[in-house]
Amino acid sequence: MACKSECPTEKVGEANLLNQTTSVTYIRLRGLSVNQKVQMAVFAMFLTFCVLTLIGNILIVIAIIYDRRLHTPMYFFLSNLSFIDVCHSTVTVPKMLTDTWSEEKLISFETCVTQMFFLHLFACTEIFLLTIMAYDRYMAICKPLQYMTVMKWKVCVLLAVALWTGGTIHSISLTSLTIKLPYCGPDEIDSFFCDVPQVIKLACTDTHIIEILIISNSGLISVVCFVVLVVSYAVILVSLRQQISEGRRKALSTCAAYLTVVTLFLGHCIFIYSRPSTSLPEDKVVSVLFTTVTPLLNPIIYTLRNEDMKNALNKFMGRLEGRGEK
């Protein structure tokens, strides 16, 4: 008899939970600032960075495809990195640019989830790619005689498939954890894009376990890959002592470029995902570096510091000018 009196209540509770889950259809984004002048300055900065990122990274991909001398494992992975940065910059920046001109910065819940999925897909894939690139540089500098034997094209393609697969699995797991939570309000995020730590704060339930899973997933991946990268480059730098000065200078230049990208990119991931979901004043600044500055680093670092890339770009641009004159 006790069950008969309790069961209807349980069914009502389940129905209310289902209604709560679907009650939040739109999410408000606070953006970077409420000051109109500041928003105009931010719009100009983000638009400039986005255009330069797209042009620079697309040119890198085209130049690597065009110049057969760059058909090596190093530039194969570099072209993948540029492609990821193009995709990464288009996940959050276009929405932020359009929100600059809107009083109510709204994003549908479905769009928010889609943004989170692709944000983590490209971010995690890039983390894995940077780790593979560190291994590629280790083999090229520390074991040059075995390099072409180990880093065959078949191996490179398999590594590329593996890192994209890993990024997809990671993104699906995090997104699945997020959308299963009940959302009934509040409906505002103190950011200019949707990310898992901010969205789960809107859930109408205790998210402590979810936060632990996020830290053990995203945070652990970031920390482990960062440690592997630092150790790899430390071994490379030690091995450079035995090389001639010219080879050492070129290798140091390449390693410095990689370390710059790794530090800024993984620094954000460790800062955001290796702690509980608490808002800090520095979060927005770090997010700006992550979404706009880091994707722009590739065309700057790999063209201004790399003679092979500069020659390939000059050759490609010269061919375009020749066709234009005809």
Side-chain angles (χ1 to χ4, degrees):
M1 295 299 292
C3 181
K4 291 182 179 180
S5 61
E6 292 176 2
C7 287
T9 304
E10 292 177 0
K11 291 181 179 179
V12 171
E14 292 176 0
N16 289 337
L17 182 61
L18 180 61
N19 291 333
Q20 288 177 351
T21 305
T22 58
S23 62
V24 176
T25 56
Y26 285 89
I27 295 177
R28 299 177 185 273
L29 303 174
R30 291 184 185 178
L32 291 174
S33 175
V34 296
N35 187 298
Q36 189 64 22
K37 291 184 178 179
V38 173
Q39 289 193 55
M40 292 302 101
V42 169
F43 175 84
M45 179 187 72
F46 271 55
L47 180 61
T48 302
F49 281 12
C50 183
V51 171
L52 291 177
T53 298
L54 294 177
I55 294 176
N57 283 295
I58 290 174
L59 281 177
I60 288 177
V61 174
I62 294 175
I64 292 174
I65 295 174
Y66 174 77
D67 195 333
R68 288 185 171 275
R69 293 176 300 176
L70 301 183
H71 290 184
T72 63
M74 172 184 171
Y75 291 104
F76 169 74
F77 293 126
L78 176 58
S79 63
N80 274 269
L81 183 61
S82 293
F83 174 75
I84 293 173
D85 281 335
V86 169
C87 298
H88 188 195
S89 63
T90 57
V91 173
T92 57
V93 176
K95 173 61 178 173
M96 183 271 166
L97 293 175
T98 57
D99 283 345
T100 305
W101 305 98
S102 175
E103 293 184 4
E104 291 190 346
K105 301 173 176 58
L106 299 177
I107 182 171
S108 68
F109 187 79
E110 292 78 10
T111 305
C112 182
V113 171
T114 302
Q115 191 178 69
M116 286 190 298
F117 172 81
F118 285 106
L119 179 70
H120 281 272
L121 168 62
F122 298 131
C124 187
T125 303
E126 183 161 344
I127 290 175
F128 292 149
L129 178 58
L130 291 172
T131 307
I132 291 174
M133 292 175 72
Y135 176 73
D136 173 75
R137 290 299 85 204
Y138 164 77
M139 290 299 301
I141 295 173
C142 300
K143 299 182 178 180
L145 298 179
Q146 304 176 25
Y147 179 69
M148 293 309 299
T149 303
V150 175
M151 299 301 293
K152 298 178 181 178
W153 276 111
K154 183 178 180 180
V155 174
C156 294
V157 172
L158 289 176
L159 288 173
V161 172
L163 65 92
W164 279 100
T165 303
T168 303
I169 294 173
H170 162 80
S171 185
I172 290 175
S173 62
L174 277 189
T175 307
S176 300
L177 290 173
T178 305
I179 62 178
K180 288 181 179 180
L181 296 173
Y183 295 95
C184 57
D187 60 352
E188 186 176 73
I189 295 176
D190 187 16
S191 182
F192 58 94
F193 64 94
C194 290
D195 198 3
V196 174
Q198 290 80 28
V199 172
I200 64 174
K201 294 179 185 177
L202 308 181
C204 305
T205 186
D206 183 15
T207 60
H208 181 68
I209 296 179
I210 302 297
E211 291 178 17
I212 294 176
L213 291 175
I214 292 173
I215 293 174
S216 61
N217 190 329
S218 299
L220 186 61
I221 289 174
S222 303
V223 172
V224 170
C225 289
F226 184 74
V227 172
V228 172
L229 286 162
V230 171
V231 171
S232 299
Y233 287 119
V235 172
I236 291 173
L237 293 175
V238 171
S239 69
L240 288 176
R241 295 180 179 180
Q242 303 175 356
Q243 298 187 16
I244 59 176
S245 59
E246 180 62 24
R248 181 187 303 176
R249 185 193 65 79
K250 187 174 182 180
L252 283 173
S253 178
T254 303
C255 290
Y258 285 152
L259 282 173
T260 302
V261 175
V262 166
T263 302
L264 286 176
F265 190 83
L266 284 177
H268 164 271
C269 297
I270 294 173
F271 180 78
I272 296 295
Y273 302 111
S274 298
R275 59 182 172 84
S277 299
T278 55
S279 298
L280 296 177
E282 297 83 6
D283 285 354
K284 288 186 179 181
V285 176
V286 174
S287 295
V288 168
L289 294 175
F290 176 67
T291 56
T292 60
V293 178
T294 304
L296 182 60
L297 286 178
N298 281 339
I300 294 177
I301 290 176
Y302 294 112
T303 56
L304 297 181
R305 298 176 62 91
N306 191 306
E307 291 295 330
D308 293 334
M309 279 302 309
K310 286 193 290 186
N311 294 334
L313 287 172
N314 290 333
K315 183 179 179 180
F316 175 72
M317 297 303 296
R319 176 66 66 87
L320 289 181
E321 291 177 0
R323 291 182 179 180
E325 293 177 356
K326 292 180 181 180

